[in-house]
Amino acid sequence: MESKEMLLPLPYIIDGIKHSGQMIEIPEDCITCGADECKNASDTIRVCRKGFDFVKTEIGTILFGFVVMDGASNSRAKQKRIKKDRSCTINKKHLLHLLKTISKVNGTFIAEIESIAQEEKKRVLSKVSSMKPGKMMTIEQEKQQFSFIHDYRQINAQLIQNMNVYLQRHYKESDIDNVPDEYFKALYYGIKLLEAKLDATSILLNRERLYVVQNRVYQNFHGIVKKICKIYKPYSDNKNIEVVFDGENHKQIQADPIALPIIPHTFIDNAIKYSPDNERIVVSFCDNSDYLLFKVCSLGPKIENDERKAIFEFSKRGTNAEKIASGSGLGLYLCNLVAKEHLFTRINFNQTESHISNFYSTVFSIEIPYSRAV
Amino acid sequence: MCMFFQKTEWKSIDMVQIVKRSRILIIDDEPFPYVELLKGDGYNIDYWNGNIERIDSLENGYYDLILLDFHGVGTKISEKQGFGILEYVKNKNPVQLVIAMSNKDWGLEYQSFIDLADSKISKTSDYIDFKRAIDILLEKRFSKEYYIELIMSQSTIMQKAEIEKYFLKSLKSKKPAEKLLQKLDPVTIEVVLRITNNALTIYNIINTFSGGR
């Protein structure tokens, strides 16, 4: 009989068979381990003699082969393990989040993901297509329905490539910022903005991508944000908004190159969109030992108390935000999705009164772990 | 110096020479404007408009690097289009370096194919990023470490130093060292033969260029 498989970030045992996780593979020592203490796991997190933590989830699946850095037990074997290999480490916060998420599903993670994706796609479809209500489509059919996105991407690729050829031939330049023609620059960054929007659509349609560990690469986050600010420059200039950078970020972040930029894109896009004219937006970075603290501070409309959760939901917008500018209500939803499902963190925000009535000093922030489980 | 005592050496050549000496194939069913820029920068480029014109040149290491699109490519020979071509190429010649060009929208069902590629690049990347991705892999193709690491990935019992010793012996004798093959299981011998033959080709190119051993 074939063993069931799950999309879990940590190594796991199901039907007595060990599987690698999406983020942490089965450690060599666990493959050769004869004791198999983990097979007798309970719902208490325990440490095996090899220094790995293991625990049984509510649905019976056992998680093993990882080390909780800030866990209760601090055995010598565990300390040795941490010293030897940090790639199998995870924070307690992340483990508890994972256990909570697993307990919510009766089946497999993939089933959960597909059903959520199905629901959301159904909603999108009912808005943008002529699909009859009640007619259920398979994910494959839905992807087919949205295959025009691929054509848009192809057109966009042609635009970017031809612009690059023009850049090289006429300006003998590789760097767009050295081009004196502001219209050419605006055109270039306009195409880049379109690319970002198509990337966001990709995540919406291929949500499973967030769980694929192979697509994670190290990225210079500071550089990404700088580029994003250039993309939005025509918009900030139009409102005479000054965007300033604060702090440092030298450590790279391991993440999907399509998913990660969604967060700064949304933060900056929203900040410019909802800020009054002639104001300032502060984009700040702060490197910590395990994570980068990224913040965007600007003036914005009040987010009412009863809307604080809803603004992260699909297609939901704050009532005061709706009065200022149009939008799809997808930005923060996608941000939250990437933060929770891909980076194992969350988006925070807070607001305080400002010098302009009806506008609040708004800070959206996120603690982004530098690499996978740590 | 007496030839007998001369050490086998893998010389390094600079990027300009690597570019001059390498052959790149681009397979894309859409126009690919960067072809002319790459040619202008000295790269030897062949461009196939989505059709697989000569399958043997994908298998025999004729090209140092292949840039492969996925959608609409090789439709006549593979239902899986570019994904199928990539799988075929890597099966036949694991040494063949391939950059997967994509519009970043492949589904999870194709992830395992995409992972076979040595590098991935979005078709919306700027020219400079394409050039960088190409240069990184060409440099790899002309480096000794690439082949040693490939052999290492095939052997669980040999250490790097041992592999390097036999690898250099293979280069000197112009054929894979017997002792290297003896330490491998029959399944991996064929792969290692391909790796060493590819390495020999590159070694000869480097030596021809730099005036003999």
Side-chain angles (χ1 to χ4, degrees):
Chain A
M1 192 181 79
E2 240 179 67
S3 163
K4 276 184 269 174
E5 282 190 35
M6 296 173 77
L7 268 181
L8 291 175
L10 306 180
Y12 61 95
I13 301 172
I14 188 164
D15 296 335
I17 297 169
K18 292 177 179 173
H19 298 268
S20 277
Q22 292 285 307
M23 295 195 159
I24 298 179
E25 290 188 358
I26 306 178
E28 197 60 40
D29 284 350
C30 293
I31 297 171
T32 53
C33 176
D36 276 343
E37 292 165 81
C38 51
K39 288 194 173 169
N40 297 315
S42 68
D43 57 0
T44 313
I45 305 166
R46 280 160 52 206
V47 190
C48 72
R49 66 189 70 174
K50 302 262 183 187
F52 289 110
D53 287 301
F54 60 95
V55 63
K56 194 174 191 173
T57 68
E58 269 188 31
I59 59 166
T61 309
I62 295 166
L63 304 177
F64 74 103
F66 61 93
V67 180
V68 182
M69 293 278 279
D70 45 355
S73 166
N74 215 3
S75 70
R76 189 179 284 181
K78 190 167 169 175
Q79 283 173 359
K80 257 174 110 179
R81 174 67 52 196
I82 294 172
K83 223 172 175 185
K84 193 175 162 193
D85 182 16
R86 284 176 69 95
S87 68
C88 59
T89 57
I90 179 171
N91 285 340
K92 195 172 178 185
K93 188 174 81 177
H94 297 142
L95 178 66
L96 295 177
H97 171 74
L98 179 65
L99 290 170
K100 210 172 131 191
T101 320
I102 295 172
S103 70
K104 279 196 299 187
V105 294
N106 293 320
T108 60
F109 239 32
I110 192 84
E112 164 87 340
I113 294 157
E114 281 183 358
S115 74
I116 297 169
Q118 191 92 339
E119 273 299 304
E120 287 159 4
K121 283 170 193 169
K122 208 175 116 189
R123 266 187 296 209
V124 176
L125 278 168
S126 66
K127 277 190 178 178
V128 301
S129 77
S130 56
M131 184 186 158
K132 285 176 191 162
K135 188 185 167 194
M136 192 66 185
M137 295 171 90
T138 64
I139 286 181
E140 278 317 304
Q141 283 171 320
E142 284 165 7
K143 278 183 182 166
Q144 195 67 35
Q145 183 96 352
F146 283 101
S147 60
F148 63 88
I149 300 282
H150 175 76
D151 298 338
Y152 289 1
R153 281 190 170 283
Q154 190 59 48
I155 294 164
N156 206 39
Q158 287 293 317
L159 286 169
I160 290 178
Q161 289 183 18
N162 281 298
M163 287 214 78
N164 268 274
V165 173
Y166 193 84
L167 189 67
Q168 296 277 334
R169 289 212 175 137
H170 290 262
Y171 296 107
K172 310 272 178 242
E173 266 297 340
S174 299
D175 187 354
I176 184 74
D177 295 319
N178 294 336
V179 171
D181 187 341
E182 289 301 318
Y183 292 105
F184 186 83
K185 262 193 228 176
L187 196 57
Y188 174 89
Y189 283 121
I191 294 169
K192 288 284 175 184
L193 181 57
L194 181 58
E195 186 191 2
K197 300 282 177 194
L198 288 168
D199 283 351
T201 318
S202 269
I203 294 292
L204 209 57
L205 289 174
N206 292 308
R207 194 180 145 147
E208 63 269 24
R209 192 187 164 105
L210 296 176
Y211 307 95
V212 180
V213 70
Q214 295 94 316
N215 290 336
R216 288 169 180 258
V217 289
Y218 280 99
Q219 295 168 78
N220 170 6
F221 190 75
H222 192 274
I224 291 173
V225 178
K226 250 178 126 175
K227 264 190 192 165
I228 290 172
C229 287
K230 282 177 188 165
I231 290 176
Y232 287 97
K233 197 172 181 296
Y235 300 91
S236 53
D237 283 353
N238 194 36
K239 293 177 82 173
N240 196 27
I241 292 170
E242 187 191 7
V243 181
V244 292
F245 275 47
D246 181 40
E248 301 280 323
N249 164 224
H250 299 292
K251 293 185 191 172
Q252 296 202 321
I253 288 169
Q254 192 188 31
D256 183 302
I258 299 182
L260 182 65
I262 287 177
I263 290 169
H265 257 290
T266 308
F267 283 11
I268 291 162
D269 187 12
N270 283 351
I272 295 171
K273 198 192 284 182
Y274 299 118
S275 166
D277 292 1
N278 312 313
E279 288 297 332
R280 173 189 255 217
I281 293 170
V282 182
V283 179
S284 67
F285 307 83
C286 180
D287 270 331
N288 286 285
S289 58
D290 288 344
Y291 64 88
L292 161 75
L293 174 62
F294 173 64
K295 287 197 280 192
V296 174
C297 315
S298 62
L299 291 186
K302 184 171 172 41
I303 299 163
E304 302 295 348
N305 282 344
D306 58 349
E307 292 175 339
R308 292 177 78 88
K309 270 191 179 170
I311 57 164
F312 294 106
E313 286 172 17
F314 185 85
S315 201
K316 294 272 171 64
R317 301 185 65 214
T319 44
N320 296 321
E322 275 179 333
K323 290 173 197 161
I324 295 177
S326 60
S328 61
L330 289 178
L332 284 176
Y333 165 77
L334 273 170
C335 263
N336 194 40
L337 193 69
V338 171
K340 280 172 84 173
E341 307 295 328
H342 186 67
L343 301 170
F344 302 103
T345 183
R346 64 183 193 145
I347 310 279
N348 293 306
F349 78 92
N350 78 60
Q351 287 195 306
T352 49
E353 283 186 27
S354 77
H355 59 283
I356 303 179
S357 64
N358 295 331
F359 279 93
Y360 287 72
S361 178
T362 308
V363 182
F364 273 88
S365 65
I366 181 170
E367 290 174 2
I368 310 175
Y370 294 118
S371 64
R372 40 198 211 177
V374 181
Chain B
M1 187 194 279
C2 173
M3 284 292 285
F4 186 76
F5 293 108
Q6 201 167 343
K7 212 175 160 187
T8 310
E9 192 188 358
W10 184 289
K11 291 168 185 159
S12 60
I13 55 172
D14 64 28
M15 203 59 221
V16 179
Q17 292 304 328
I18 291 177
V19 167
K20 215 188 231 179
R21 260 140 232 296
S22 48
R23 282 187 289 246
I24 300 172
L25 171 66
I26 297 171
I27 313 175
D28 192 352
D29 65 322
E30 298 282 339
F32 191 67
Y34 290 167
V35 167
E36 292 311 313
L37 289 183
L38 286 166
K39 282 183 179 172
D41 278 336
Y43 295 87
N44 300 304
I45 307 279
D46 281 348
Y47 173 70
W48 293 356
N49 187 14
N51 295 320
I52 303 304
E53 295 176 12
R54 293 181 311 278
I55 192 98
D56 58 318
S57 52
L58 300 184
E59 302 165 4
N60 60 16
Y62 178 81
Y63 290 106
D64 296 286
L65 179 62
I66 298 172
L67 275 77
L68 179 67
D69 180 32
F70 290 109
H71 294 279
V73 160
T75 45
K76 287 180 191 158
I77 58 169
S78 173
E79 270 182 21
K80 288 179 272 186
Q81 303 180 23
F83 297 100
I85 305 297
L86 176 58
E87 189 185 33
Y88 177 83
V89 168
K90 283 290 183 180
N91 245 328
K92 285 280 177 185
N93 185 9
V95 191
Q96 178 64 59
L97 290 165
V98 180
I99 296 181
M101 295 196 294
S102 78
N103 277 317
K104 305 190 277 192
D105 52 0
W106 65 87
L108 201 58
E109 66 274 27
Y110 290 118
Q111 186 65 44
S112 57
F113 294 99
I114 279 274
D115 292 339
L116 292 173
D118 300 277
S119 172
K120 293 170 237 176
I121 192 157
S122 160
K123 287 173 84 175
T124 53
S125 298
D126 287 329
Y127 175 65
I128 194 148
D129 298 320
F130 258 91
K131 198 172 167 317
R132 192 180 299 123
I134 288 171
D135 287 352
I136 287 170
L137 285 192
L138 285 184
E139 213 170 2
K140 197 171 175 182
R141 167 88 167 149
F142 283 77
S143 79
K144 176 180 73 179
E145 283 68 30
Y146 172 55
Y147 302 97
I148 290 175
E149 271 167 29
L150 276 175
I151 297 171
M152 273 179 78
S153 69
Q154 300 295 323
S155 167
T156 49
I157 51 163
M158 280 192 282
Q159 297 298 311
K160 190 177 178 182
E162 197 181 3
I163 288 175
E164 186 161 1
K165 187 178 88 183
Y166 292 132
F167 177 75
L168 291 174
K169 269 190 180 175
S170 305
L171 296 181
K172 197 172 183 182
S173 60
K174 296 188 176 173
K175 59 176 192 200
E178 281 295 319
K179 282 197 174 165
L180 175 68
L181 300 179
Q182 278 165 14
K183 295 209 170 196
L184 298 165
D185 63 73
V187 186
T188 51
I189 284 181
E190 201 188 329
V191 181
V192 172
L193 276 172
R194 270 202 176 270
I195 298 167
T196 41
N197 284 335
N198 266 270
L200 266 168
T201 309
I202 296 298
Y203 179 72
N204 288 334
I205 289 174
I206 294 172
N207 281 325
T208 310
F209 159 70
S210 55
R213 264 195 260 189

